[in-house]
Structures are given as C-alpha cells and as structure tokens.
C-alpha cells in the first residue's frame, strides 16, 4: 500500500524549510519502509506568479488525491496590493475549504531546551503544553454575505458575516473533546456569548456535547478573558476549542508564549483524517532566501503528519527524537539562538536532524 | 458653571470600588473648587434586579444630561442564563451606543512600583506605555442582521455581522492619529485585511487619513500577528487603533502584560468629549463584597475623567500623584500584593489615596 504526500513549498521561506523536511521524509521513508510517494505543487504567491491563480486546478487535484499535504507558508508584500480573490492567502483558504479541513490542531509547547527564548518568566511557562483546536472552514472566514457596498448615503460600507451551524460546531466540538480525553481531560471553550448570538449557539452545543464525554471537564471563557489568561497563567489550560477568527488570534498568542514559534507545527484535518500540515509561523519574507530560517517547525509538522494522517507513530517519534537530540546538542538557528548555543543555517539544521535519525 | 457627574456602580465589586472613587472625587471637588454635582444610577444586573431592564430610562436620561459618567463594572453569573436582551452587558452596550461613545481609550501602562507583578520578564515590559484606541459603537458588536435562525435543513445557525462604514472608520482613525501626535507619533492599525473585506476598507481609510498627519508614522498589522507581537515585544507599540472586537481582545491582552489590570483605567468618548470612564477589569463576582478589590483603576479612571471630559488637568494630576504616593508607600491590595508590601483593603486603599491628596 503506497501513500502519497503532496509538498507545497509556497512563498517566502517556504521553499527553504520544506526542502529540509523533504530530506528528512525521504530518509524516514527508507528507514521505516513507509512506501511514501511524493509530489510537489504550487500554491499562494508562487502559483500566482506562475499560473495567475493562488490555487491552480492541478494543485487542488493533487491535494484531493494525496493522503497528506505538507505546506510551507504563503503570502508576502509582493502580492499585498492584489484584490482579495487574487491573494496568496486564497490558496491556503481554498485548500482548507475544498478539502473540508475543519479541525486545526495547534499545540503550544515549550521545549525545555529553549525555555529562555520566552518573553515570559520561566515559572509562568515552564512545562507549558496547550492544544488549541480551531475551527477552520467556517465562521467569519467563509461567511456570506461579504464585501464592500455603496450605501444610499453615498459612502461605502465593508461587511462580513460570522456564522456557524449546529453541525459545524458539533463536529469541531467532538474533535476537541476527544483531544482532551487523550490529554489532561480539561476543555475550555472560548466564545463571546455575552455579545455575539453566533457564540451563544456555540456555547449551547458545547454544553450539549459534554454529556457524551463525562470524563472531560468543560469550562467556558470569553475571548477577551482568554487573551488575558494566556498571558497571566497559561498553564491553567489543557485543550482550548474556539472558532476560526478567535482561534487565529489565540493560537498565535499562545504560540508566542513559548518564544520559539519557529518550533511549532500545526495540523488541519478533515473527517477522514486526511490532513494538511504546516508550521505555525508565516512566510517571513524579510529573511527569505538567506538560508537562516528555522526548518524545525516544518520538520515537526512532518512528524505530526506521519502520526495523524499516515498512522506511522514510530516514524513520527523517530523524527521528534532526532529534533530533541539536535536541540540537546545546542544547535540553534538565528530565531532560537541564545548564549552557549551553536548557530547553524537552515540547511545545517536539516542535516543535523538527518544525522540524528 | 456647575458640571454633573453620573456614578454607575453596577455589579460585583462595582459598588465597592466606585464608593472609594466617589470619596476622592468629593475631596478633589472641594479642594479645587470644581463645582461638580453627583448623581447615582442603576445599570447592568443591579438595574435588572430593580427594574427588569439593564438600562432603565431614568439612567439613560441622567447619562445624557451628565458631563461625564464613572462606571464600576457590570455582569455576573447570576444573570448569565438570561436571554441576550436581558443581560447586564446590554446596559453597558446601550450606554455606549446611545451616547455614541465611539472612541475607547485603553492605556496599558506598567507602574514601576508594580513591575514584579507582570508575568513577563522585566526587560520586556519595563517602561511599557501603550495606548489602545478601540472603536466602540460599531463593528460586530452592533452589526445587523444578527441572531439564531432555523435553516431549511432543520438545523439552527447563529450569525452576526461585522460592518464598518467609511465615516465610522474615519472618526476613530482621527482620534487615534491625534493621540499618536500627542505621544510617540507612531500609530499601528490592526486589521485582518488578508481575509476580511470590512478590514480592507478599514486599511484603505487609515492610509487615506495618513496624509492629514504627516508627522505620524502609520503601520498596519494583522490581528494574529499583533496578538503575538504584544507578547514578544510590546514596547514596539505607541498607539494601536482597531475595531470593536479586535480591540476588546487586544486591549485586555495588553492590559494583562502589566500584571496589574487592577490599576488600568479606560475612557469612552463621543465627539463632544462627553465620556464614560471605567476600570479595565470586570465585575469580579468571586471577590465581590469581601472588601478586597483594588479601587485604584476606578480612582485613576476618575482622574482620566477630570482630564478628558471636565478639562481639569490639575485635579487629575493631583489624583494621579496621590496614587503614586500610596504605591511608593508600599500599600497593596491583594491583586498587586508582593513581598515587602503592606496589604490593605479596598477602603484602606481609598483612605490612603484621600490622605495623600
Ligand atoms: C495566512 C492567513 C490567511 C492564515 C489565517 O488567518 O488563517 C494564517 O494566519 C493562519 O493562521 O494559518
Ligand atoms: C462586558 C463586555 C460587553 C465588554 C465588551 O466586550 O466590550 C467588556 O469586555 C469590555 O471590554 O468593556
């Protein structure tokens, strides 16, 4: 049984970091005889440049057929002035919605070797291990109607729609409850139910689901309070579940608590566990092409891919162990560099992980 | 010329902290011969209990006539199960929209005496002084249509509308540019223009306004990145301007960076500089009635009121100086207590500020 992995390097540092992850995947493929085949496709700005479309049909076809996708990052100032439909981000959003990748898992984990990189006090973040479950194919990202219209007064009004149906809430809720069951059994649902009707429904459905998961403790928190609590005492959280927009904000905030966003992977899954895997960080156009980007988040995303979509726990664990080893050896790209570390390039970091395998 | 101040204690710790601010205001009124008159009204849960309406007509009338309003806080679990229209928060939102208090100013300042209360490393937050300008009467908080509807499929869908007109954006933009002119001359506008059309218009109008303020440096940041940057390096910001929902989240996050949210005031102004002033923190029902809440944010809000709505800079500065003095004396309520401090109650803190005046 052969399985296919689609590589989508994308923009900015994307190609550099995906190249390193690809090296690791090729090696692990041989070592564990995984029978993985690989394809590469265009997405985002790279696809706009080549095919005037951030998500070419080719790419979408390959994505549909793939068992899993590894994405670098999309976007950059080069394409910022384009109209909404022609933005690199539409490539990413199109993949998410076409493949119905509704469940976005974003761990925020503090690597003990990198504790000093955090802007928070060590006692506040040491041992941090949060899982943010973000709904990814609904909410205000995809709500209709949307646009900019002319009012009778003559002035323009921009508008978007934040909407969720019961079933959309239920399916992401289930993913979150199940994640909590496999972890610390605590789930915090984040909403703004004191102001937004859509999140009143969200809260109601989460409460309803609770009865199916008697072993999970469910709490609710307003999004403004959650943004505060993440700064004040992040270790109070185990699993957080929230909608697309709040999840975008809170998962980035949570990732930054660790100080090493260059280390954090993410998974976007559909109901068949087909998934797209990508680093939490963006395309970092300012350092693209310099060979200094940290490839570890992408390499760890590849490990997550092996675990969740390809059911290759051993291979995943081997990659994670190799990453830990290079961290123990003191190897550091610029973003995670600190006193006593040995500074390495993107490629050197990839090579070191390869050697550690 | 006499001016009228409306006191709205509200719920939870609201009555306790407003009582202390009231003492200070009475004293300052005499000392500086300000000719202030005072009224007290019901709002939020307190008004629901008394009059079955979170914003009784009486209160709204008094609020319209007042030159300034000092509010404690609203909300609490007691009223959480009520339908949206009958929630304490509707009292607060009703005041904001009826008085057109569109400009919410939320400073995030680190008091040097309280630096150790922050969960961030001292070098990351020392000297922190950010002003968040949040649009307060538009956006998704007030957008129509909204509600929960039954779809043809039989399931329910919750929905809200995130909308801004050009003029709404322009007026909050002006407030922010002017605030930046009076401060560090740096304005960062926060949006999600890579996904939401309404914020594409937001960004366009901010760029347009820029030409009227050549001395202010304008930058743009996506909201997810802003949530990260506030954790990573908050001192990069001077003034931040953003919409109602993003402002709710980011201002609470920024406030918590200081570790002493019990110290932070806020002002909500309309175009006549009539304003409502309130502490950044909430009604804290868990400690209500215990006499341990920190009244300083409310007292500092009263100082802000004297400065912005009553044009009494000297009186405002006198209150702020008194607050600084009690902090220097080491007096601390429970929330800001640390080694070497003298723990005091809500009332003792108020008395100490009074004595320091
Ligand atoms: C690039 C952008 C559209 C995207 C999002 O907002 O979802 C990114 O911020 C993310 O979180 O994956
Ligand atoms: C109480 C609530 C409605 C309010 C808001 O969301 O605006 C509060 O969080 C605030 O920030 O003043």
């Amino acid at each position: 049984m052969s399985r296919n992995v689609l590589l989508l390097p994308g923009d900015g540092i994307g190609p550099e970091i995906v190249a390193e992850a690809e090296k690791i995947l090729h090696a692990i493929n041989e070592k564990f005889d995984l029978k993985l085949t690989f394809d590469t496709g265009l997405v985002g700005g790279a696809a706009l440049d080549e095919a005037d479309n951030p998500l070419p049909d080719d790419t979408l076809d390959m994505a549909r057929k793939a068992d899993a996708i590894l994405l670098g990052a999309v976007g950059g100032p080069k394409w910022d002035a384009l109209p909404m439909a022609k933005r690199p981000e539409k490539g990413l959003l199109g993949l998410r919605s076409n493949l119905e990748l509704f469940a976005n898992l974003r761990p925020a984990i503090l690597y003990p070797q990198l504790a000093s990189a955090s802007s928070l006090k060590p006692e506040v973040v040491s041992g941090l291990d949060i899982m943010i479950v973000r709904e990814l194919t609904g909410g205000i990202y995809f709500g209709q109607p949307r646009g900019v219209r002319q009012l009778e007064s003559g002035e323009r009004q921009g508008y978007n729609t934040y909407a969720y149906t019961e079933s959309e809430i239920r399916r992401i809720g289930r993913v979150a409850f199940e994640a909590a069951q496999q972890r610390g059994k605590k789930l915090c649902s984040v909403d703004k139910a004191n102001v937004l009707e859509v999140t009143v429904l969200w809260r109601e459905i989460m409460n309803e689901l609770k009865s199916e998961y008697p072993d999970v403790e469910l709490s609710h928190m307003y999004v403004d309070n959650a943004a505060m609590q993440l700064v004040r005492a992040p270790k109070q959280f185990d699993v957080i579940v929230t909608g697309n927009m709040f999840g975008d904000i809170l998962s980035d905030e949570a990732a930054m608590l660790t100080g090493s966003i260059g280390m954090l992977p993410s998974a976007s899954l559909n109901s068949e566990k087909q998934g797209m895997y990508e680093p939490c960080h963006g395309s970092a156009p300012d350092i693209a092409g310099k060979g200094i980007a940290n490839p570890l988040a992408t390499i760890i995303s590849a490990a997550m891919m092996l675990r969740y979509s390809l059911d290759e726990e051993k291979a995943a664990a081997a990659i994670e162990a190799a990453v830990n080893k290079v961290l123990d050896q003191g190897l550091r790209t610029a973003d995670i560099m600190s006193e006593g570390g040995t500074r390495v390039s993107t490629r050197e970091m990839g090579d070191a992980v390869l050697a550690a395998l």
Side-chain angles (χ1 to χ4, degrees), chain A:
Chain A
M1 172 193 74
S2 100
R3 274 108 18 114
N4 181 255
V5 172
L6 177 62
L7 303 169
L8 297 174
D11 309 322
I13 58 172
E16 299 161 60
I17 56 183
V18 168
E20 298 312 310
E22 194 179 351
K23 280 196 322 213
I24 309 297
L25 280 170
H26 281 302
I28 210 95
N29 194 19
E30 266 188 32
K31 186 167 174 189
F32 288 84
D33 193 24
L34 303 180
K35 304 199 167 51
L36 301 180
T37 62
F38 296 91
D39 281 310
T40 301
L42 289 169
V43 73
L48 277 165
D49 288 352
E50 192 87 2
D52 199 33
N53 180 349
L55 180 57
D57 291 347
D58 266 20
T59 302
L60 187 55
D61 280 350
M62 286 195 285
R64 284 190 205 280
K65 284 182 206 137
D67 295 279
I69 302 166
L70 186 68
L71 180 102
V74 299
K78 182 173 170 191
W79 307 280
D80 260 2
L82 293 172
M84 196 61 104
K86 281 265 166 86
R87 294 184 64 122
E89 289 86 352
K90 281 287 170 199
L92 182 60
L93 297 176
L95 282 169
R96 290 177 181 169
S97 72
N98 278 292
L99 303 182
E100 279 201 78
L101 305 170
F102 69 92
N104 186 211
L105 307 182
R106 302 212 175 182
I109 290 174
L110 189 88
Y111 282 80
Q113 300 98 328
L114 304 177
S116 68
S118 172
S119 57
L120 279 82
K121 291 178 179 159
E123 65 272 24
V124 179
V125 288
S126 74
L128 186 73
D129 180 358
I130 308 179
M131 174 67 87
I132 302 206
V133 178
R134 167 187 176 196
E135 202 289 329
L136 203 60
T137 53
I140 201 163
Y141 273 62
F142 295 96
Q144 294 287 352
R146 64 194 299 156
V148 176
R149 66 184 152 212
Q150 188 106 18
L151 299 180
E152 283 183 17
S153 64
E155 66 167 338
R156 288 172 301 157
Q157 181 192 50
Y159 59 100
N160 285 88
T161 301
Y162 181 6
Y164 273 119
T165 62
E166 291 179 66
S167 55
E168 283 175 319
I169 302 168
R170 210 167 274 126
R171 69 178 179 179
I172 191 70
R174 289 225 162 82
V175 170
F177 272 105
E178 278 160 29
Q181 274 183 327
Q182 278 159 38
R183 294 174 40 108
K185 303 200 164 27
K186 270 170 55 185
L187 176 61
C188 179
S189 168
V190 172
D191 63 36
K192 188 77 188 178
N194 54 347
V195 175
L196 303 180
E197 283 84 353
V198 51
T199 66
V200 173
L201 185 64
W202 178 280
R203 192 178 278 219
E204 181 190 321
I205 302 293
M206 290 295 159
N207 281 330
E208 208 180 281
L209 283 176
K210 164 76 184 89
S211 60
E212 295 177 32
Y213 304 89
D215 53 333
V216 176
E217 183 194 309
L218 172 68
S219 63
H220 302 279
M221 199 178 272
Y222 297 137
V223 62
D224 47 336
N225 192 23
M228 284 206 292
Q229 295 302 327
L230 278 171
V231 168
R232 195 185 69 82
K235 286 189 271 181
Q236 74 187 276
F237 297 107
D238 176 23
V239 178
I240 290 176
V241 63
T242 191
N244 208 340
M245 186 74 250
F246 294 163
D248 180 46
I249 300 171
L250 295 182
S251 66
D252 270 8
E253 180 185 347
M256 191 46 92
L257 297 175
T258 68
S260 41
I261 192 161
M263 300 295 300
L264 296 177
S266 79
S268 306
L269 305 172
N270 64 21
S271 47
E272 280 88 51
K273 301 275 174 199
Q274 189 194 17
M276 180 157 74
Y277 298 80
E278 43 176 323
C280 261
H281 59 73
S283 61
D286 50 315
I287 60 161
K290 297 195 180 153
I292 60 172
N294 186 347
L296 292 179
T298 315
I299 291 172
I300 300 167
S301 296
M304 225 177 160
M305 173 176 87
L306 289 166
R307 174 172 298 124
Y308 287 114
S309 286
L310 302 170
D311 221 5
E312 297 290 355
E313 173 60 32
K314 267 192 210 144
I319 293 180
E320 288 165 349
V323 168
N324 258 307
K325 208 157 143 193
V326 303
L327 291 179
D328 286 341
Q329 288 162 3
L331 302 186
R332 303 283 184 266
T333 42
D335 58 309
I336 53 173
M337 184 64 189
S338 66
E339 238 186 83
T342 305
R343 191 166 155 174
V344 295
S345 69
T346 307
R347 179 168 313 167
E348 285 164 344
M349 185 59 102
D351 289 340
V353 176
L354 201 62
L357 263 180

